[in-house]
Amino acid sequence: MDKRTKSLRICLTPAEAEELKKHACGYGSISHYVRMAVREYYSHDLKGVMEQMKTISEFYKETINILSHDAGNLNQTAKRANELAIAGNLSQAYFSQVILPAIKTNLETITSVKDNLLSVSKRLMKHK
């Protein structure tokens, strides 16, 4: 084994230094902890996992936005239908031309999101 003769100086805030010491306590030394952390970070498996996690995170944020938007639209449609029904003004034509297409659009979006989630899950299982 090569003798460790090179040193590295880094600047930390007092809080960062305390956190580093806390995390390194099980490693015998801060140097050993840092070497292990760097080794793990640069392993190809971990890099791939980190990239996948970032991609999944972005995908889920987008999915949540889509579902939130569609849920709002569906809620507005249902509220309007309820108002019309209570007032006795909900016609078959309005239901067929406005409400039903809105519900079908929401169903298509939900089905698409479900399919996308299944596809992502299958890809992740292949990389496991």
Side-chain angles (χ1 to χ4, degrees):
M1 181 176 193
D2 291 338
K3 185 169 176 129
R4 292 187 176 100
T5 58
K6 300 290 180 187
S7 64
L8 178 65
R9 182 173 184 260
I10 60 171
C11 296
L12 303 170
T13 66
E16 290 170 332
E18 283 303 313
E19 187 173 346
L20 184 61
K21 285 179 188 175
K22 182 175 74 174
H23 288 289
C25 69
Y27 287 85
S29 72
I30 292 175
S31 295
H32 180 64
Y33 172 72
V34 170
R35 284 192 299 273
M36 294 304 290
V38 169
R39 186 176 299 141
E40 282 189 38
Y41 180 79
Y42 283 106
S43 77
H44 293 295
D45 291 339
L46 185 60
K47 280 174 61 175
V49 168
M50 297 297 279
E51 289 171 7
Q52 286 180 351
M53 287 176 65
K54 182 180 177 190
T55 301
I56 291 169
S57 176
E58 291 168 0
F59 173 75
Y60 282 125
K61 285 177 187 174
E62 180 181 333
T63 299
I64 288 168
N65 287 338
I66 290 169
L67 290 175
S68 177
H69 183 297
D70 270 22
N73 287 346
L74 184 58
N75 190 43
Q76 288 175 358
T77 301
K79 182 180 180 202
R80 182 66 181 142
N82 193 36
E83 289 169 348
L84 290 171
I86 289 171
N89 296 328
L90 181 59
S91 68
Q92 179 64 37
Y94 186 82
F95 183 83
S96 299
Q97 295 170 4
V98 177
I99 294 173
L100 197 56
I103 292 171
K104 286 181 179 180
T105 299
N106 279 80
L107 182 59
E108 289 168 2
T109 300
I110 291 168
T111 301
S112 173
V113 166
K114 184 184 109 187
D115 292 344
N116 288 340
L117 289 170
L118 183 61
S119 174
V120 167
S121 297
K122 284 181 180 180
R123 279 186 282 169
L124 289 175
M125 295 308 286
K126 285 180 184 177
H127 290 107
K128 193 174 179 186

